[in-house]
Amino acid sequence: CDTSEDFLLTLDRFVVAVRDAGIRKVAIDLRRNPGGDASAPLAVMRAFDAHPALGFGVEIRVSQTLLETMPMFAPAAIAPAFESVGAPPPATDAERYQVPAPLVLGMVQSRLGERPFETASGRALYLLTGGATFSSAALFAVLVRDNSLGQLVGEPIGNSASFNGSELILPVPGMPHELHLSSAHLTRPDLLAGGSPTVLPDVLAPSTPRLIVQQGDPALDFVRHTPVPAP
C-alpha cells in the first residue's frame, strides 16, 4: 500500500465501521504483503491510537544514483533536519551516515501531513504474519512487536528484524529487467533485542498442508476465539 487519499479514505471507512459496530479486536493480515510505503503502517497505527515510541534507525549509503533520485538524502540537504532535533549533521562528503531513530519516525510520520484521521482507541491489535511478510509489512510487524502495541499471530516473517530497504530501481541496458539496489539499512527499534534473521510471532499458528486443503485459517481462528479484551 501507499498512503494515497484513496487508501486513507478506505482506512477511515474501516475505522468508522469498527467503531460503529463496537468491535474490540482488529486483525491486519500481512501474510502475503510484500510491502509498500513505510508511512502506511503508521497510518493504520494512528487510526487505532497505537503510537510507537521507538522507531527504526537508518544508515544511508550515499551514491551518485541516490543523489539523483532521492536528493533529500544528500548530507547537505538533510543537515537541517538533524539540527532541528539537536543532532550533529553528517559531513557533507560522507559516504554513509546514520539517521537517528526519532528523526526517521518523525520524517515518515510527516508524510501523513496534517490530515485528520478517524480513530478507534482501546482496540486489541493483531497482525497476521508469515514467510511472505516483507519490507514495509515486516517493518509494521517489528514496530508493533518492539513497541508492545499488539500481538503477532501466524508464522515468522520473511525479513530479518533489521534489513536493507529504500530501493533504487535501475534499468538493465539491453534487457527487459530492472536492478533493485538498496540504499539504506534499517535497524530494529529495540536495540537490546539484537539482530535476528526473522521475527517470531507471539502466537505460532502455522498453516499446515492439511489445513490448507481444508481451507482452515488457524491464525484468524485464534483471533476470533481469544477472549475479547475489556474496554
Side-chain angles (χ1 to χ4, degrees):
C1 293
D2 59 40
T3 48
S4 64
E5 186 60 22
D6 183 57
F7 170 85
L8 296 175
L9 287 172
T10 301
L11 178 59
D12 281 342
R13 289 193 292 268
F14 175 64
V15 171
V16 169
V18 167
R19 198 172 60 210
D20 290 349
I23 293 171
R24 308 302 308 174
K25 298 179 292 185
V26 175
I28 308 295
D29 195 344
L30 302 175
R31 288 174 292 185
R32 287 166 291 278
N33 191 315
D37 191 327
S39 61
L42 294 180
V44 175
M45 285 189 279
R46 180 185 293 187
F48 290 101
D49 202 26
H51 303 287
L54 302 175
F56 278 83
V58 175
E59 182 187 41
I60 301 293
R61 183 175 63 83
V62 181
S63 67
Q64 187 58 41
T65 303
L66 176 73
L67 298 179
E68 292 170 356
T69 58
M70 301 181 185
M72 73 288 291
F73 289 116
I78 204 170
F82 275 69
E83 293 164 354
S84 70
V85 296
T92 55
D93 59 350
E95 296 182 354
R96 293 177 182 268
Y97 64 88
Q98 187 76 26
V99 185
L103 182 54
V104 175
L105 193 59
M107 291 171 69
V108 177
Q109 287 174 331
S110 70
R111 296 183 199 170
L112 301 176
E114 299 300 322
R115 179 188 185 280
F117 276 65
E118 295 287 349
T119 59
S121 59
R123 270 63 182 179
L125 184 63
Y126 300 89
L127 301 187
L128 309 187
T129 61
T133 302
F134 280 102
S135 191
S136 293
L139 180 148
F140 193 175
V142 178
L143 281 173
V144 166
R145 158 60 63 78
D146 285 5
N147 285 281
S148 301
L149 295 175
Q151 283 191 298
L152 309 186
V153 182
E155 299 177 83
I157 67 172
N159 265 126
S160 58
S162 297
F163 55 92
N164 294 324
S166 296
E167 292 181 342
L168 303 173
I169 302 176
L170 308 175
V172 179
M175 300 181 69
H177 303 293
E178 296 174 331
L179 174 65
H180 290 239
L181 181 65
S182 172
S183 63
H185 183 74
L186 288 74
T187 305
R188 73 180 300 177
D190 185 358
L191 298 178
L192 296 179
S196 171
T198 185
V199 174
L200 300 177
D202 298 291
V203 178
L204 184 61
S207 294
T208 64
R210 179 178 62 82
L211 287 171
I212 291 172
V213 169
Q214 296 175 349
Q215 297 186 334
D217 192 333
L220 196 55
D221 286 344
F222 170 83
V223 177
R224 287 193 180 110
H225 299 304
T226 196
V228 177

